[in-house]
Amino acid sequence: MINNSLPPKLLEKIFKIASEVCQKWAVVANSLLWGEVDLYSRYNKKEFQMYKHLTILGTVCGKYIRKLNMDEVKLWPICIVKMLQVCPNIQELSIKDYQYYGKKGDVRDLLNEILHILPNLRKLDIRYSQKYFDKGNAIDKLIETRKDLEIRVTRKCNICKG
């Protein structure tokens, strides 16, 4: 896969021109360039830029994303939901080390929202995010009900004290 490091606005311009030249080429190119998106950024600028870009009315690149890496994002849960709503074809999602302690922008059950929004999801990685996602044993319920889903998760061991 191609590592998508060009600014979203530049990519959008390139594909707008390309799609005018040849629609078949644009479909192939969009699938290759947007197939795997990594939002990890040490300085948190990339994730907010991508959020803003994807949620602009009329932006279509989200439908090409198949694998989305949101490790260590600092986005509000509602922003994650809005991003995923415009990326319905995601098959692999990683939200490792997600933490959110505020009230503003929270979602009642983000884990359930993710499953509802992404019907094609086959792999979910929420390691080191159990403090946020495991409200009311949500992770155990997910493991029990979604046998078709490959889930990577860490949880606190109740047996081990120390």
Side-chain angles (χ1 to χ4, degrees):
M1 282 285 144
I2 296 171
N3 187 355
N4 185 350
S5 60
L6 292 174
K9 288 184 181 184
L10 178 60
L11 286 171
E12 195 76 24
K13 286 179 185 178
I14 291 169
F15 293 121
K16 185 174 183 178
I17 294 167
S19 66
E20 291 170 3
V21 174
C22 177
Q23 206 138 29
K24 287 182 182 180
W25 185 89
V27 169
V28 171
N30 277 326
S31 297
L32 286 173
L33 287 168
W34 289 102
E36 185 173 335
V37 176
D38 186 1
L39 293 185
Y40 175 76
S41 171
R42 179 173 273 162
Y43 304 106
N44 303 322
K45 292 180 181 179
K46 191 175 181 182
E47 64 195 47
F48 290 108
Q49 289 173 346
M50 186 59 82
Y51 165 74
K52 286 180 188 178
H53 180 72
L54 284 174
T55 55
I56 294 172
L57 190 63
T59 302
V60 297
C61 56
K63 72 179 183 179
Y64 297 103
I65 299 174
R66 301 286 183 267
K67 184 176 182 179
L68 181 60
N69 178 355
M70 299 178 77
D71 297 348
E72 299 181 25
V73 295
K74 305 291 186 242
L75 294 171
W76 291 345
I78 192 67
C79 295
I80 292 173
V81 167
K82 288 178 181 181
M83 274 184 71
L84 296 179
Q85 286 173 334
V86 295
C87 305
N89 298 314
I90 292 175
Q91 297 170 357
E92 296 181 38
L93 178 63
S94 180
I95 311 178
K96 290 189 285 192
D97 201 19
Y98 183 70
Q99 300 171 24
Y100 181 74
Y101 300 107
K103 299 262 185 227
K104 191 172 184 177
D106 202 5
V107 173
R108 198 172 95 207
D109 187 358
L110 181 58
L111 195 55
N112 195 40
E113 284 287 327
I114 290 169
L115 299 174
H116 178 72
I117 295 167
L118 304 176
N120 300 319
L121 190 64
R122 296 294 165 251
K123 293 182 181 182
L124 177 63
D125 190 343
I126 52 174
R127 288 179 287 166
Y128 312 109
S129 303
Q130 68 274 10
K131 286 183 181 177
Y132 183 79
F133 285 111
D134 205 19
K135 298 171 186 169
N137 286 336
I139 294 173
D140 285 334
K141 291 174 188 173
L142 174 64
I143 292 169
E144 200 55 41
T145 59
R146 287 291 306 269
K147 301 292 185 187
D148 63 318
L149 186 62
E150 181 182 317
I151 305 165
R152 297 184 80 186
V153 63
T154 51
R155 293 181 286 176
K156 182 180 178 183
C157 179
N158 293 328
I159 299 170
C160 306
K161 304 279 181 182

